[in-house]
Amino acid sequence: MSEEDPKDKSLDPKNWDEFRSLAHRMVDDMLDQVKGVRDEPAWQEVPSSARKEIQRELPMAGLGDEEAYQLFKENIFPYTNGNRHPRFYGWVQGTGTPLASMAEMFASAMNPHCAGFEQASTYVELQVVDWLKQVMGFPSESSGVLVSGGTMANFVGLAAARDDRAGFDVWNEGLQHSKAPRLVFYGSSETHGWAQKAANLLGLGSSAFRPIPVDSDFRIQVSQLKKTIQEDRHQGLKPFCVIGTAGTVNTGSIDDFDALADVCQSEDLWFHIDGAYGAWARLSDSRKHLVNGIERADSLGFDLHKWGYLPFEVACVLVRDPLAHRRPFSIEGSYIPKVDRGCLKSGLPFAPLGIELTRNFKALKVWLSWVSQGVDRLKEQIEQNIAHAEYLKSVVEEDPQLELLSEVVLNVICLRFNPGGLDQERLNEINLEILHRLHESGLAVPSSTVLHGSFVIRLALTNHRTRRADLKLLADEVVRHGRDIV
Ligand SMILES: *Cc1c(COP(=O)(O)O)cnc(C)c1O
């Protein structure tokens, strides 16, 4: 035992008993709030009084745990964007679960450095990635890693594609190599904005992303894709990758993956799928066929913090060829020697699979949730969201003042108030006003998009707390506000 010396300072509590009782209260407050979330507004603005408490002078002298916690509890804790609430349907955001929150607490208390090392977290992440390969139909020899989100997962996939298919040594030469042909890649015009961000960050330039028109169901036109590839080759460009999307942000559409895989095969292109939320259709008996061919991708990015219901952040990228996965990220350093004993015995297996070196223990919330709830519970929730979308569709169809604006493929539904006799411009104005009123009243948080010039109220049902009655209420309120505005 080393002796305590008052000259040695630490950030641990001075009085563990006091801290323990505060910590227990914190957990109780956390659970009370989540349990009671249905009775709270779906969203509310951060009041200026709370903003004032947040925006403090650089606190040189601390206030102590108790006072700091009270400030948090009153001014920060209540004001979220609302995605935990049963009537939050905006964009595509997961709800989180109380069990996963506990996992997050333990992940931070264990605080393991998840680049690797000989420690349990390494085995947990390897196991979780292995489960995800099974769910998505990837071979067990393929490579994968957990990352912060879909953007990062897709970025890693595209980086692997670039370095594998550029036709020269990108690692050494970079893209400033003047003699190399210009690299281009493809996806539908409905591809999420990550593709342009990644194109820029990978040195390709965002114009290297070639958006291909979609059909009336918002799916990539494969014939157009083939034609554009030929034209680009004629122009001396070098196509290297095609992106398919499972669940577009606007309408939840899913590209024809078998057709895209065939194109990639015959054109010798890398096939990446952005499966951010739609990849989870794999778990739905009724919708699985929609993502046929997903298992043929060279790489697949998808979130667990959207339709996997887990709290932010966690996503996964799977790459069929383990060597290709590592190529953009492998470095060597004398500070990470290869050893077969001690703490570094297992090496740093996750460091060459992405941008980050120091990584947190994201895998724990996945492992604990799946072991506790089983994949069957996850399937049940996913089927429920799909059934809820069908239910809301029927509510909309039965009400002559509501209009459905896209096919309900999975869990995304686009609707608007349209009592008839109003022009597009007026309808757009009215529906925007309805959206604002839904948010500001705290009733519900859907989001919006524009489809063929129509402003629509868009719901993505990735919420495990939603009940049918919540969706009926939303539809009724859209009509009520609409009538009121007219
Ligand atoms: C959400 C989403 C992304 C981005 O994922 P993040 O986790 O937000 O980084 C990419 N593609 C699609 C289709 C998405 O829905």
Side-chain angles (χ1 to χ4, degrees), residues 248-295:
T248 58
V249 259
N250 279 332
T251 63
S253 302
I254 301 173
D255 290 328
D256 181 344
F257 297 143
D258 273 321
L260 293 182
D262 290 343
V263 171
C264 288
Q265 210 165 359
S266 63
E267 295 286 338
D268 191 25
L269 302 177
W270 182 283
F271 182 26
H272 175 79
I273 294 178
D274 172 8
Y277 68 94
W280 292 102
R282 287 272 307 177
L283 286 183
S284 159
D285 293 331
S286 63
R287 297 296 192 280
K288 187 174 177 185
H289 65 279
L290 294 174
V291 292
N292 276 351
I294 206 170
E295 68 290 345

Coordinates of all heavy atoms in Angstrom, one line a residue, residues 248-295:
T248 N -33.1 6.4 -48.2 CA -32.6 7.8 -48.5 C -33.2 8.7 -47.4 O -34.3 8.4 -46.8 CB -33.1 8.3 -49.9 OG1 -34.5 8.2 -49.9 CG2 -32.5 7.4 -51.0
V249 N -32.6 9.8 -47.2 CA -33.1 10.8 -46.1 C -34.4 11.3 -46.5 O -35.3 11.5 -45.6 CB -32.1 12.0 -45.9 CG1 -31.3 11.7 -44.6 CG2 -31.3 12.3 -47.0
N250 N -34.7 11.6 -47.7 CA -36.0 12.2 -48.1 C -37.1 11.3 -47.9 O -38.1 11.7 -47.3 CB -35.9 12.8 -49.5 CG -35.2 14.2 -49.5 OD1 -35.2 14.9 -48.6 ND2 -34.6 14.5 -50.6
T251 N -37.0 10.1 -48.5 CA -38.2 9.3 -48.6 C -38.0 7.8 -48.2 O -39.0 7.0 -48.2 CB -38.7 9.2 -50.1 OG1 -37.7 8.6 -50.9 CG2 -39.0 10.6 -50.7
G252 N -36.8 7.5 -47.7 CA -36.6 6.1 -47.3 C -36.5 5.1 -48.4 O -36.6 3.9 -48.3
S253 N -36.2 5.6 -49.6 CA -36.1 4.7 -50.8 C -34.8 3.9 -50.7 O -33.8 4.3 -50.1 CB -36.0 5.5 -52.1 OG -37.2 6.3 -52.2
I254 N -34.9 2.7 -51.4 CA -33.7 1.8 -51.4 C -33.4 1.5 -52.8 O -34.2 1.1 -53.6 CB -34.1 0.5 -50.6 CG1 -34.5 0.9 -49.2 CG2 -33.0 -0.5 -50.6 CD1 -35.1 -0.3 -48.4
D255 N -32.1 1.7 -53.1 CA -31.7 1.4 -54.5 C -31.7 -0.1 -54.8 O -31.7 -0.9 -53.8 CB -30.2 2.0 -54.7 CG -30.2 3.5 -54.7 OD1 -31.2 4.1 -55.2 OD2 -29.2 4.1 -54.3
D256 N -31.6 -0.5 -56.0 CA -31.6 -1.9 -56.4 C -30.1 -2.4 -56.3 O -29.3 -2.2 -57.2 CB -32.1 -2.0 -57.9 CG -32.1 -3.4 -58.4 OD1 -31.5 -4.3 -57.7 OD2 -32.8 -3.7 -59.4
F257 N -29.8 -3.0 -55.2 CA -28.4 -3.4 -54.9 C -27.9 -4.4 -55.8 O -26.7 -4.4 -56.2 CB -28.3 -3.8 -53.4 CG -28.6 -2.6 -52.5 CD1 -29.2 -2.9 -51.3 CD2 -28.2 -1.3 -52.8 CE1 -29.5 -1.9 -50.4 CE2 -28.5 -0.3 -51.9 CZ -29.2 -0.6 -50.7
D258 N -28.8 -5.4 -56.2 CA -28.3 -6.4 -57.1 C -27.9 -5.8 -58.4 O -26.8 -6.2 -59.0 CB -29.3 -7.5 -57.2 CG -29.2 -8.6 -56.1 OD1 -28.0 -8.9 -55.8 OD2 -30.2 -9.1 -55.6
A259 N -28.7 -4.9 -58.9 CA -28.4 -4.3 -60.2 C -27.1 -3.5 -60.1 O -26.2 -3.5 -60.9 CB -29.5 -3.4 -60.6
L260 N -26.9 -2.8 -58.9 CA -25.7 -1.9 -58.8 C -24.5 -2.8 -58.6 O -23.4 -2.5 -59.1 CB -25.8 -1.0 -57.5 CG -26.9 0.1 -57.6 CD1 -26.9 1.0 -56.4 CD2 -26.6 1.0 -58.9
A261 N -24.6 -4.0 -57.9 CA -23.5 -4.9 -57.7 C -23.1 -5.4 -59.1 O -21.9 -5.6 -59.4 CB -23.9 -6.0 -56.8
D262 N -24.1 -5.7 -60.0 CA -23.8 -6.2 -61.3 C -23.0 -5.2 -62.1 O -22.0 -5.5 -62.7 CB -25.0 -6.6 -62.1 CG -25.7 -7.8 -61.5 OD1 -25.0 -8.6 -60.7 OD2 -26.9 -8.1 -61.8
V263 N -23.4 -3.9 -62.0 CA -22.7 -2.9 -62.7 C -21.2 -2.8 -62.2 O -20.3 -2.7 -63.0 CB -23.4 -1.5 -62.5 CG1 -22.5 -0.4 -63.1 CG2 -24.8 -1.5 -63.2
C264 N -21.1 -2.8 -60.9 CA -19.7 -2.7 -60.3 C -18.9 -3.9 -60.7 O -17.7 -3.7 -61.0 CB -19.8 -2.6 -58.8 SG -20.5 -1.0 -58.2
Q265 N -19.5 -5.0 -60.8 CA -18.7 -6.2 -61.2 C -18.2 -6.1 -62.6 O -17.1 -6.3 -62.9 CB -19.6 -7.5 -61.0 CG -18.9 -8.7 -60.7 CD -19.8 -9.8 -60.3 OE1 -21.0 -9.6 -60.2 NE2 -19.3 -11.0 -60.0
S266 N -19.1 -5.7 -63.5 CA -18.7 -5.7 -64.9 C -17.8 -4.5 -65.2 O -17.0 -4.5 -66.1 CB -20.0 -5.7 -65.8 OG -20.7 -4.6 -65.6
E267 N -18.0 -3.4 -64.4 CA -17.1 -2.2 -64.7 C -15.9 -2.2 -63.8 O -15.1 -1.2 -63.8 CB -18.0 -0.9 -64.4 CG -19.1 -0.8 -65.3 CD -18.7 -0.3 -66.7 OE1 -17.6 0.2 -66.9 OE2 -19.4 -0.5 -67.7
D268 N -15.7 -3.2 -62.9 CA -14.6 -3.2 -62.0 C -14.6 -2.0 -61.1 O -13.6 -1.3 -61.0 CB -13.3 -3.4 -62.8 CG -12.1 -3.7 -61.8 OD1 -12.4 -4.2 -60.7 OD2 -11.0 -3.4 -62.1
L269 N -15.7 -1.7 -60.5 CA -15.8 -0.6 -59.5 C -16.1 -1.1 -58.1 O -16.7 -2.1 -57.9 CB -16.9 0.4 -60.0 CG -16.8 0.9 -61.4 CD1 -18.1 1.8 -61.7 CD2 -15.6 1.8 -61.5
W270 N -15.7 -0.3 -57.2 CA -15.9 -0.6 -55.8 C -17.4 -0.3 -55.5 O -17.9 0.7 -55.9 CB -15.1 0.3 -54.9 CG -15.2 0.0 -53.4 CD1 -16.2 0.5 -52.6 CD2 -14.2 -0.6 -52.5 NE1 -15.9 0.1 -51.3 CE2 -14.7 -0.6 -51.2 CE3 -13.0 -1.3 -52.8 CZ2 -14.1 -1.1 -50.1 CZ3 -12.4 -1.8 -51.7 CH2 -12.9 -1.8 -50.4
F271 N -18.1 -1.2 -54.8 CA -19.5 -1.0 -54.4 C -19.6 -0.7 -52.9 O -19.4 -1.5 -52.1 CB -20.3 -2.2 -54.8 CG -21.8 -2.1 -54.6 CD1 -22.4 -0.9 -54.6 CD2 -22.5 -3.3 -54.4 CE1 -23.8 -0.8 -54.4 CE2 -23.9 -3.2 -54.2 CZ -24.5 -1.9 -54.2
H272 N -20.0 0.6 -52.7 CA -20.2 1.0 -51.3 C -21.7 1.2 -51.0 O -22.4 1.8 -51.9 CB -19.5 2.3 -50.9 CG -19.8 2.8 -49.6 ND1 -19.2 2.2 -48.4 CD2 -20.6 3.7 -49.1 CE1 -19.7 2.8 -47.3 NE2 -20.5 3.7 -47.7
I273 N -22.2 0.7 -49.9 CA -23.6 1.0 -49.6 C -23.7 1.9 -48.3 O -23.1 1.6 -47.3 CB -24.4 -0.3 -49.4 CG1 -24.6 -1.0 -50.7 CG2 -25.8 0.1 -48.8 CD1 -25.3 -2.3 -50.6
D274 N -24.4 3.0 -48.4 CA -24.8 3.8 -47.3 C -26.1 3.2 -46.7 O -27.2 3.5 -47.3 CB -25.0 5.3 -47.7 CG -25.5 6.1 -46.6 OD1 -25.6 5.6 -45.4 OD2 -25.9 7.3 -46.8
G275 N -26.0 2.5 -45.7 CA -27.1 1.9 -45.1 C -27.6 2.5 -43.8 O -28.2 1.9 -42.9
A276 N -27.2 3.8 -43.6 CA -27.3 4.5 -42.3 C -28.5 3.9 -41.5 O -28.2 3.5 -40.4 CB -27.5 6.0 -42.6
Y277 N -29.7 4.0 -41.9 CA -30.8 3.4 -41.1 C -31.4 2.2 -41.9 O -31.8 1.3 -41.3 CB -31.8 4.4 -40.7 CG -32.6 5.0 -41.7 CD1 -33.9 4.5 -42.1 CD2 -32.2 6.1 -42.5 CE1 -34.6 5.1 -43.1 CE2 -32.9 6.7 -43.5 CZ -34.2 6.1 -43.8 OH -34.9 6.7 -44.8
G278 N -31.5 2.3 -43.2 CA -32.2 1.4 -44.0 C -31.6 0.0 -44.0 O -32.3 -1.0 -44.2
A279 N -30.3 -0.2 -43.7 CA -29.7 -1.5 -43.6 C -30.4 -2.4 -42.6 O -30.4 -3.6 -42.8 CB -28.2 -1.4 -43.3
W280 N -31.0 -1.8 -41.6 CA -31.7 -2.5 -40.6 C -33.0 -3.2 -41.1 O -33.5 -4.1 -40.4 CB -32.0 -1.7 -39.4 CG -30.8 -1.3 -38.7 CD1 -30.2 0.0 -38.8 CD2 -29.9 -2.1 -37.9 NE1 -29.0 -0.1 -38.1 CE2 -28.8 -1.3 -37.5 CE3 -30.0 -3.4 -37.4 CZ2 -27.8 -1.8 -36.7 CZ3 -29.0 -3.9 -36.6 CH2 -27.9 -3.1 -36.3
A281 N -33.4 -2.9 -42.3 CA -34.5 -3.7 -43.0 C -34.1 -5.2 -43.1 O -35.0 -6.0 -43.2 CB -34.8 -3.1 -44.3
R282 N -32.8 -5.4 -43.0 CA -32.4 -6.8 -42.9 C -33.0 -7.6 -41.8 O -33.2 -8.8 -41.9 CB -30.8 -6.9 -42.7 CG -29.9 -6.5 -43.8 CD -29.5 -7.6 -44.7 NE -29.0 -8.8 -44.1 CZ -28.6 -9.9 -44.8 NH1 -28.8 -9.9 -46.1 NH2 -28.1 -10.9 -44.3
L283 N -33.4 -6.9 -40.8 CA -34.0 -7.6 -39.6 C -35.5 -7.7 -39.7 O -36.2 -8.3 -38.8 CB -33.7 -6.9 -38.3 CG -32.2 -7.1 -37.8 CD1 -32.1 -6.4 -36.5 CD2 -31.9 -8.5 -37.7
S284 N -36.1 -7.2 -40.8 CA -37.6 -7.2 -40.9 C -38.0 -8.3 -41.9 O -37.6 -8.3 -43.0 CB -38.1 -5.9 -41.4 OG -39.3 -6.0 -42.0
D285 N -38.8 -9.3 -41.4 CA -39.2 -10.3 -42.3 C -40.0 -9.8 -43.5 O -39.9 -10.3 -44.6 CB -40.0 -11.4 -41.5 CG -39.2 -12.1 -40.5 OD1 -37.9 -12.2 -40.7 OD2 -39.7 -12.5 -39.4
S286 N -40.7 -8.7 -43.2 CA -41.6 -8.2 -44.3 C -40.8 -7.3 -45.2 O -41.3 -7.1 -46.4 CB -42.8 -7.4 -43.7 OG -42.3 -6.3 -42.9
R287 N -39.7 -6.8 -44.9 CA -39.0 -5.8 -45.7 C -37.6 -6.3 -46.1 O -36.9 -5.6 -46.9 CB -38.9 -4.5 -45.0 CG -40.2 -3.8 -44.7 CD -40.9 -3.4 -46.0 NE -42.1 -2.5 -45.8 CZ -43.3 -2.9 -45.3 NH1 -43.5 -4.2 -45.0 NH2 -44.2 -2.0 -45.2
K288 N -37.2 -7.4 -45.6 CA -35.8 -7.8 -45.9 C -35.5 -7.9 -47.4 O -34.4 -7.5 -47.8 CB -35.6 -9.2 -45.3 CG -34.2 -9.7 -45.3 CD -34.0 -11.0 -44.6 CE -32.6 -11.5 -44.8 NZ -32.3 -12.8 -44.2
H289 N -36.5 -8.3 -48.2 CA -36.2 -8.4 -49.6 C -35.8 -7.1 -50.3 O -35.1 -7.1 -51.3 CB -37.5 -9.0 -50.3 CG -38.6 -8.1 -50.2 ND1 -39.4 -8.0 -49.1 CD2 -39.1 -7.2 -51.1 CE1 -40.4 -7.1 -49.4 NE2 -40.2 -6.6 -50.6
L290 N -36.2 -6.0 -49.6 CA -35.9 -4.7 -50.2 C -34.4 -4.4 -50.2 O -33.9 -3.6 -51.0 CB -36.6 -3.6 -49.4 CG -38.1 -3.5 -49.5 CD1 -38.7 -2.5 -48.6 CD2 -38.6 -3.3 -51.0
V291 N -33.7 -5.0 -49.3 CA -32.2 -4.8 -49.3 C -31.4 -6.0 -49.8 O -30.2 -6.1 -49.5 CB -31.7 -4.4 -47.9 CG1 -32.3 -3.0 -47.5 CG2 -32.1 -5.3 -46.8
N292 N -32.1 -6.8 -50.6 CA -31.4 -7.9 -51.2 C -30.1 -7.3 -51.9 O -30.2 -6.3 -52.6 CB -32.2 -8.6 -52.3 CG -33.1 -9.7 -51.6 OD1 -33.0 -10.0 -50.5 ND2 -34.1 -10.2 -52.4
G293 N -29.0 -8.0 -51.8 CA -27.8 -7.6 -52.5 C -26.9 -6.8 -51.6 O -25.8 -6.5 -52.0
I294 N -27.4 -6.4 -50.4 CA -26.6 -5.6 -49.5 C -25.3 -6.3 -49.2 O -24.2 -5.8 -49.0 CB -27.4 -5.2 -48.3 CG1 -26.9 -3.9 -47.6 CG2 -27.4 -6.3 -47.2 CD1 -27.8 -3.4 -46.5
E295 N -25.4 -7.7 -49.1 CA -24.3 -8.5 -48.8 C -23.3 -8.6 -49.9 O -22.2 -9.2 -49.7 CB -24.8 -9.9 -48.4 CG -25.4 -10.8 -49.5 CD -26.8 -10.3 -50.0 OE1 -27.4 -9.5 -49.4 OE2 -27.1 -10.8 -51.1

